[in-house]
Amino acid sequence: MERIPILRMGEFLLVTIQVDMHDQLAMTLQDDLAERISATSAKAVLIDISALDMVDSFIGRMISSISGLSSIMDAETVVVGMQPAVAITLVELGLTLQGVSTALNVEKGMQLLHKRMAAK
Amino acid sequence: MERIPILRMGEFLLVTIQVDMHDQLAMTLQDDLAERISATSAKAVLIDISALDMVDSFIGRMISSISGLSSIMDAETVVVGMQPAVAITLVELGLTLQGVSTALNVEKGMQLLHKRMAAK
């Protein structure tokens, strides 16, 4: 079955979205993430969406629900690599991604997280 | 145009292969990689193939040529997350991926690279 790989980078998990998401794939990703956060005690989930040049409310909701899931499991969510057009669309759709941090790229996202961990 | 994102992680570049590769996509990936290695002075390229449960000679050759390209540009290539069936197929195809290091997952691949950098 098709699934999106979840890469472990130290205390963080990294998910790169490259393909068109559909219901089943999004569900599988959430299930897999819940399992991996629990298994690895990950402190944060980084979602790279730099490959997406379009976004719809489905993707927006998926990011929100991953964020909710992570938050329940005591992990933060950082969305990285958002393209300008995607940001504009999300605002137009009224999806403000509350509780989700953003960073320009994976490296900056990890720096942000390291700083937050250090401040705790 | 469809393209595979290349993520920068410190001195390394990370590519996650999730989709079926075809000629144009593989060519684009190689062009992008050459550009990014040059722009970022990356020391290594990590290719995550954990999402692939099948492999053919096309993918095998693509990995070989990425490795050749990286090597010319003074960067190493580490293939991570290879599934057992993929390893068996590569051997059966006679593709031994010379000059390419492997590691079980991204984290181990990065540890391997950090050790090598430290030893230099």
Side-chain angles (χ1 to χ4, degrees):
Chain A
M1 194 177 66
E2 194 191 15
R3 55 175 67 214
I4 294 179
I6 300 169
L7 309 180
R8 187 179 174 179
M9 320 278 316
E11 291 178 299
F12 313 133
L13 298 178
L14 174 66
V15 179
T16 317
I17 309 284
Q18 292 175 24
V19 291
D20 283 335
M21 297 300 290
H22 47 79
D23 287 30
Q24 187 53 53
L25 194 58
M27 290 290 288
T28 310
L29 176 60
Q30 284 179 50
D31 289 353
D32 288 354
L33 260 178
E35 212 172 277
R36 288 294 295 276
I37 293 174
S38 156
T40 61
S41 311
K43 295 284 191 342
V45 178
L46 288 127
I47 308 175
D48 177 83
I49 57 167
S50 57
L52 301 184
D53 42 19
M54 280 191 303
V55 81
D56 53 17
S57 62
F58 179 70
I59 296 269
R61 280 201 312 275
M62 186 195 73
I63 294 172
S64 286
S65 66
I66 287 178
S67 160
L69 169 81
S70 309
S71 157
I72 287 174
M73 300 186 77
D74 195 27
E76 295 190 54
T77 307
V78 182
V79 171
V80 299
M82 193 186 290
Q83 293 189 20
V86 169
I88 291 167
T89 310
L90 286 178
V91 171
E92 283 174 352
L93 288 170
L95 290 162
T96 50
L97 300 183
Q98 290 200 323
V100 178
S101 307
T102 50
L104 278 184
N105 55 46
V106 176
E107 207 168 15
K108 291 201 172 134
M110 291 186 75
Q111 280 170 5
L112 174 81
L113 286 167
H114 280 301
K115 257 189 220 162
R116 282 204 198 146
M117 303 290 140
K120 268 187 184 170
Chain B
M1 195 175 66
E2 193 190 17
R3 55 176 65 210
I4 294 178
I6 300 169
L7 308 181
R8 186 177 176 183
M9 321 278 315
E11 291 179 297
F12 313 134
L13 298 177
L14 173 66
V15 180
T16 316
I17 310 282
Q18 293 175 25
V19 291
D20 283 336
M21 298 299 291
H22 47 80
D23 287 30
Q24 188 52 51
L25 193 58
M27 290 290 286
T28 310
L29 177 60
Q30 284 179 48
D31 290 351
D32 288 353
L33 261 178
E35 212 171 279
R36 288 294 297 273
I37 293 174
S38 155
T40 61
S41 313
K43 296 284 192 342
V45 178
L46 288 127
I47 307 174
D48 176 83
I49 58 166
S50 58
L52 301 183
D53 42 20
M54 281 192 304
V55 80
D56 54 16
S57 62
F58 179 69
I59 296 269
R61 280 202 310 277
M62 186 196 71
I63 293 172
S64 287
S65 66
I66 287 178
S67 160
L69 169 81
S70 309
S71 157
I72 287 174
M73 300 187 75
D74 194 27
E76 294 191 54
T77 307
V78 182
V79 171
V80 299
M82 193 185 290
Q83 293 189 21
V86 169
I88 291 168
T89 310
L90 286 178
V91 171
E92 283 174 355
L93 289 170
L95 290 164
T96 50
L97 300 183
Q98 289 198 328
V100 178
S101 307
T102 50
L104 279 184
N105 55 46
V106 177
E107 209 169 12
K108 291 200 173 136
M110 290 186 77
Q111 280 169 6
L112 174 82
L113 286 167
H114 280 302
K115 259 187 218 162
R116 283 204 196 144
M117 302 290 141
K120 264 185 187 170

